[in-house]
Amino acid sequence: FKDDLSTTPQLFTPMSPYDVDLPIQTTEDVLFGSQLNQPKELPTDFSSVDLSFLPDITQDNKEQNLSEDGHEMQKELDGSTSRKEDSSIFMDESGLSYPDATQPSPEASGACPPLTPMTPMTPVTPASESSGIVPQLQNIVSTVNLACKLDLKNIALHARNAEYNPKRFAAVIMRIREPRTTALIFSSGKMVCTGAKSEEQSRLAARKYARVVQKLGFPAKFLDFKIQNMVGSCDVKFPIRLEGLVLTHQQFSSYEPELFPGLIYRMVKPRIVLLIFVSGKVVLTGAKERSEIYEAFENIYPILKGFKKAS
Amino acid sequence: MAARSSCPGCGSAALVEDAHYAQQQLVCAACGCVLAEGLLTTTYAEEEHLREVAYSQSTGQKEQLSRCLQRGIRRVQDLCKVLQLPTVFEETAVLYFQRALQHPSFHLVSLEKKELLGGSCVFVTCRQHNWPLTMGTICSLLYAKQELFASVYLSLQKELGLSVPALSLGDLVKTHLNSFRLFQHTADVPAPFVEDKEKMVARTMQIVELASETWLVTGRHPVPIITAAAFLSWQSLQPAARLTCTFARFCKLAAVDLLPPAHLRLKELLEIFLRMASQLAWLKVFNMDKKTVVKHIGDLLQHRIFLLKRAFCLEDGEEQCATPTGEGSASSPLTAGGAAQEEGCPSEGKRQREGGPRPLLPPCLINPRKRLRTAAPSASDSAITGDEPISDSEIEQYLRAPEEIRAFRKAKAWS
């Protein structure tokens, strides 16, 4: 291992190696990337492609997106909010959220005319009744494999932002300021990155940690980056009768005021856990995709609103 | 074998009764041949005195169940006996316990957790039969930490897929008040403090219902609310003698634990009563405060439906009932979702004058604690793609300079 240390600095030039595309093992990326490299050939099978970042499937937008770098996975809240207004958005939903979706007809091939709005593929709340509230992401947890054994004591000695207490926990806790995140780095080379507010920030932060480890002399790679958990929160702005909610949705809810002031709602589709509080604040967690959080909130909002008008 | 007088081997008549260790034998003295040994059957007289052994106490059952399971089942049965639960509960709890212990996630947990598992099974059984048992009671019986009990209970609920109905507050009131030692005159409890149980239970139920309608119950631990309601009802039944008694003293007299949130609940209840009093015609003229309002709790409860409508702003807007609609003390059933008066008022800004109706909202919305709110993602944050180039200087700020490393090495002994 010691020999490796002496030779690795030559393998990695000071030029940031991450400018070179490293194999990132996410199917969506690969699939989408390859598709964007051939702009005129649009896939007719949308089931496995995650298109939820696209604000609107209009011709202008498609061309605009095609010209950008092909490694973007998901766009921001703005894109997601605007999609609520157009019923044609239902075509955007990825196959993960709507497994029983029918495929859109192959009108999107070659130079496409403006796509006509599709009928909703699943019986969700029509756009006119959408809540108008968008949950904000508060925390993203992701993991990545640096694919090399690490000497944690060495890292703790040479890095300013690291803490290592083997008696308490068998990993180095490293923090960076921008994006403000924390990473747990294990001696096997696996790393957990927490605290980011968006998927892209999490990925950028993980790359920065990997760069720090590289600069410390380890042959770190960036394999299998995966978002493991996303947490969002929002406020419905009216108080909620939790006792009533647990009566009507008993099979999904768990409300134990002796233990916890909120109601724990385990939604089945999508598989998200919601913490609902009497003040109207809702916390959503357990998502692997941003769309799951939005979908879960849109599912729970009519239920909660129903309780507001109960008389 | 019939008794013989001569040995079958040698024919000698010298037969001796001897004991080979503990076994009686009839032996020929001449050749040593054993004619008869100890009897193996009982006589008819002996069998008459035998008793029937229940299967659960026989060794048969012991052989089928593991020792851990036996111990756990005994523990569950003991708990049920201590809590004086019906036999049906005991059987159900034992059944749940057996099912749970076979489940892979519970099979190998520590003994402490297995005991808590037994307690959780009893707790679940009680809740499913609407028997008001609180977690606090079970934890004190098991000498368990509540967090550990909570985790065991929640995982039990999840693994076995049990649906546990919510705790019924009405029953809990009766059970909790049963433990109050105020219903008889003793050395500690002077005569003016003794109270009739039925009256106290009825009034406490009314106050708890009122608390539930005014958002004081949702999300809060139920027992402190009941304690505070009991205190107010006790005081209001004979205010002259009891107004001077403090909450803490009351709990000591009643031999009941005073949990910390109970003081806050008391304050909130008094605030609700004060607002209601401000709407009652013959009390409007008086300047009520926390002490004096207690004397009129009886009246306030009697007209509570009307007073709630007047005192609190509802979502259906401006309508204020001119006619008293709440006559009579018919208490509405303690249904959680059905109460009609509690909708948050979005236009609370309209009624901010002193003493005027305030919106009927949970206390956490009325007194929001100032919190540091993280800023919404800024535009620059939104533009992050995750693939930006990372500058060397940014990374180097996180690495120690050589002098630092030397100083660190000297300061710390790196083993």
Side-chain angles (χ1 to χ4, degrees):
Chain A
F1 182 63
K2 292 290 174 202
D3 297 335
D4 285 347
L5 276 180
S6 58
T7 53
T8 42
Q10 285 103 46
L11 294 177
F12 288 89
T13 60
M15 292 291 292
S16 49
Y18 286 103
D19 286 348
V20 176
D21 285 341
L22 290 173
I24 296 165
Q25 317 294 319
T26 53
T27 46
E28 291 124 342
D29 243 355
V30 170
L31 193 59
F32 192 65
S34 62
Q35 281 156 2
L36 284 183
N37 289 335
Q38 304 125 45
K40 291 305 166 207
E41 203 181 283
L42 290 161
T44 55
D45 179 356
F46 285 95
S47 58
S48 54
V49 173
D50 184 306
L51 296 176
S52 49
F53 68 93
L54 291 173
D56 250 343
I57 301 282
T58 61
Q59 183 59 12
D60 311 332
N61 272 356
K62 258 219 155 63
E63 286 177 349
Q64 184 186 354
N65 284 324
L66 293 177
S67 57
E68 284 167 29
D69 184 28
H71 278 287
E72 294 169 11
M73 283 174 65
Q74 276 167 340
K75 278 287 195 265
E76 302 310 318
L77 291 167
D78 325 315
S80 317
T81 339
S82 61
R83 74 186 219 215
K84 294 289 171 204
E85 291 139 24
D86 192 349
S87 57
S88 67
I89 58 162
F90 291 106
M91 229 180 84
D92 289 354
E93 302 301 341
S94 66
L96 298 162
S97 304
Y98 297 92
D100 51 344
T102 55
Q103 299 310 311
S105 53
E107 45 198 33
S109 56
C112 8
L115 297 164
T116 53
M118 301 283 294
T119 51
M121 298 195 283
T122 53
V124 295
T125 333
S128 56
E129 264 186 47
S130 76
S131 58
I133 305 172
V134 182
Q136 252 193 30
L137 289 181
Q138 302 292 349
N139 184 24
I140 313 268
V141 177
S142 56
T143 53
V144 72
N145 186 4
L146 302 176
C148 66
K149 293 274 172 276
L150 302 173
D151 181 351
L152 299 184
K153 265 193 288 231
N154 195 308
I155 293 177
L157 177 61
H158 287 89
R160 281 189 186 135
N161 54 344
E163 60 181 85
Y164 179 49
N165 192 343
K167 291 194 192 118
R168 206 173 59 181
F169 191 55
V172 163
I173 303 167
M174 196 182 280
R175 297 184 165 85
I176 57 173
R177 280 182 280 276
E178 185 54 49
R180 214 160 83 76
T181 49
T182 306
L184 299 173
I185 307 176
F186 294 85
S187 54
S188 59
K190 300 263 171 69
M191 182 170 83
V192 180
C193 173
T194 63
K197 297 279 191 218
S198 77
E199 303 89 321
E200 296 80 11
Q201 280 189 24
S202 192
R203 185 138 167 275
L204 180 61
R207 283 173 57 216
K208 289 190 183 176
Y209 288 113
R211 281 290 290 286
V212 171
V213 171
Q214 263 190 353
K215 284 228 181 267
L216 290 171
F218 298 93
K221 302 214 232 332
F222 196 77
L223 304 179
D224 303 327
F225 175 78
K226 183 170 179 224
I227 306 271
Q228 300 289 354
N229 185 28
M230 300 173 67
V231 181
S233 73
C234 58
D235 188 356
V236 300
K237 305 267 194 275
F238 54 82
I240 301 168
R241 285 268 167 214
L242 301 178
E243 312 93 339
L245 183 58
V246 77
L247 280 177
T248 52
H249 289 78
Q250 199 176 36
Q251 62 273 51
F252 306 115
S253 327
S254 160
Y255 170 54
E256 298 287 338
E258 291 180 78
L259 293 181
F260 188 63
L263 186 148
I264 304 171
Y265 191 101
R266 294 181 193 275
M267 197 177 277
V268 170
K269 186 166 138 48
R271 218 168 135 256
I272 300 280
V273 173
L274 297 94
L275 302 176
I276 305 170
F277 295 91
V278 67
S279 55
K281 303 232 175 14
V282 180
V283 173
L284 306 100
T285 181
K288 294 266 198 288
E289 301 270 320
R290 184 188 284 249
S291 57
E292 289 175 7
I293 297 225
Y294 297 149
E295 190 190 338
F297 182 68
E298 291 301 319
N299 287 350
I300 201 80
Y301 188 71
I303 297 169
L304 298 178
K305 226 164 68 151
F307 269 93
K308 178 187 179 191
K309 292 205 160 51
S311 58
Chain B
M1 232 151 88
R4 293 202 187 190
S5 46
S6 59
C7 169
C10 64
S12 140
L15 299 173
V16 182
E17 279 248 359
D18 196 5
H20 178 62
Y21 298 112
Q23 194 179 36
Q24 283 291 110
Q25 284 178 339
L26 195 60
V27 186
C28 167
C31 63
C33 161
V34 176
L35 277 81
E37 286 184 296
L39 298 166
L40 295 170
T41 58
T42 57
T43 63
Y44 185 70
E46 286 169 10
E47 278 176 8
E48 269 182 350
H49 295 292
L50 293 176
R51 277 181 308 168
E52 196 180 276
V53 178
Y55 182 65
S56 60
Q57 280 146 16
S58 73
T59 51
Q61 189 176 54
K62 275 193 194 166
E63 276 149 29
Q64 282 184 15
L65 303 172
S66 69
R67 202 180 305 171
C68 175
L69 191 55
Q70 279 172 46
R71 183 174 32 221
I73 291 177
R74 249 200 314 271
R75 200 82 181 90
V76 169
Q77 288 170 337
D78 290 341
L79 266 175
C80 293
K81 286 195 184 77
V82 166
L83 291 167
Q84 296 179 337
L85 302 175
T87 356
V88 185
F89 288 32
E90 193 176 308
E91 287 158 14
T92 321
V94 168
L95 209 68
Y96 281 150
F97 184 71
Q98 278 181 304
R99 264 174 64 192
L101 217 53
Q102 280 162 8
H103 205 278
S105 49
F106 292 119
H107 201 54
L108 299 169
V109 297
S110 64
L111 286 177
E112 187 190 1
K113 271 197 176 167
K114 279 186 177 140
E115 180 153 323
L116 293 185
L117 190 63
S120 307
C121 294
V122 174
F123 181 70
V124 167
T125 313
C126 287
R127 282 279 287 270
Q128 287 182 336
H129 289 93
N130 281 319
W131 189 277
L133 184 68
T134 55
M135 280 188 207
T137 314
I138 291 273
C139 286
S140 63
L141 281 174
L142 294 174
Y143 304 107
K145 296 186 283 267
Q146 196 169 37
E147 303 87 47
L148 197 57
F149 180 80
S151 67
V152 172
Y153 165 67
L154 290 173
S155 45
L156 172 73
Q157 202 183 4
K158 203 170 100 175
E159 298 296 341
L160 289 179
L162 302 168
S163 82
V164 182
L167 192 62
S168 79
L169 214 50
D171 294 330
L172 188 60
V173 168
K174 292 194 202 105
T175 316
H176 192 62
L177 285 181
N178 275 338
S179 62
F180 278 52
R181 299 264 149 271
L182 283 173
F183 310 120
Q184 275 160 336
H185 180 35
T186 65
D188 313 313
V189 181
F193 284 9
V194 176
E195 185 51 70
D196 173 44
K197 191 162 166 192
E198 303 305 322
K199 274 200 259 173
M200 193 155 147
V201 169
R203 189 163 278 200
T204 310
M205 286 280 279
Q206 287 184 339
I207 299 184
V208 169
E209 279 178 23
L210 180 70
S212 160
E213 282 168 24
T214 52
W215 293 104
L216 296 184
V217 167
T218 312
R220 270 93 171 267
H221 199 294
V223 175
I225 300 168
I226 298 175
T227 314
F231 176 59
L232 279 180
S233 80
W234 174 80
Q235 268 195 330
S236 65
L237 284 170
Q238 265 189 49
R242 299 174 183 168
L243 264 180
T244 49
C245 180
T246 61
F247 197 8
R249 186 162 167 237
F250 168 77
C251 290
K252 227 163 60 171
L253 285 174
V256 156
D257 285 332
L258 178 56
L259 300 166
H263 281 290
L264 292 165
R265 302 297 156 261
L266 186 64
K267 228 168 62 169
E268 287 165 359
L269 275 173
L270 283 170
E271 198 239 326
I272 300 280
F273 278 127
L274 278 169
R275 284 206 167 262
M276 286 167 70
S278 69
Q279 297 297 320
L280 199 55
W282 59 90
L283 291 180
K284 269 188 197 171
V285 288
F286 297 112
N287 209 354
M288 291 271 130
D289 73 357
K290 286 190 323 190
K291 291 281 181 189
T292 48
V293 76
V294 176
K295 293 187 248 185
H296 305 282
I297 284 183
D299 289 336
L300 295 175
L301 286 174
Q302 204 179 6
H303 304 287
R304 67 180 180 280
I305 301 177
F306 164 64
L307 290 173
L308 278 180
K309 280 210 186 106
R310 297 268 320 228
F312 298 103
C313 159
L314 305 173
E315 196 184 327
D316 27 17
E318 321 290 303
E319 95 173 78
Q320 288 201 340
C321 282
T323 56
T325 51
E327 301 292 337
S329 52
S331 51
S332 49
L334 195 64
T335 53
Q341 283 104 357
E342 34 325 280
E343 283 113 4
C345 180
S347 56
E348 62 220 53
K350 289 187 198 161
R351 313 262 180 114
Q352 285 306 321
R353 62 182 196 278
E354 196 54 56
R358 75 143 165 84
L360 194 56
L361 291 175
C364 55
L365 286 181
I366 297 188
N367 316 315
R369 276 192 294 189
K370 290 206 184 109
R371 265 207 249 158
L372 285 160
R373 296 215 173 271
T374 54
S378 58
S380 60
D381 280 353
S382 318
I384 291 185
T385 61
D387 290 304
E388 284 95 345
I390 303 169
S391 67
D392 279 353
S393 53
E394 188 185 350
I395 300 295
E396 266 151 28
Q397 68 173 315
Y398 293 118
L399 303 178
R400 286 208 174 107
E403 318 82 56
E404 266 184 75
I405 297 175
R406 267 188 296 245
F408 239 79
R409 272 223 171 92
K410 273 196 227 153
K412 278 202 177 193
W414 288 94
S415 56

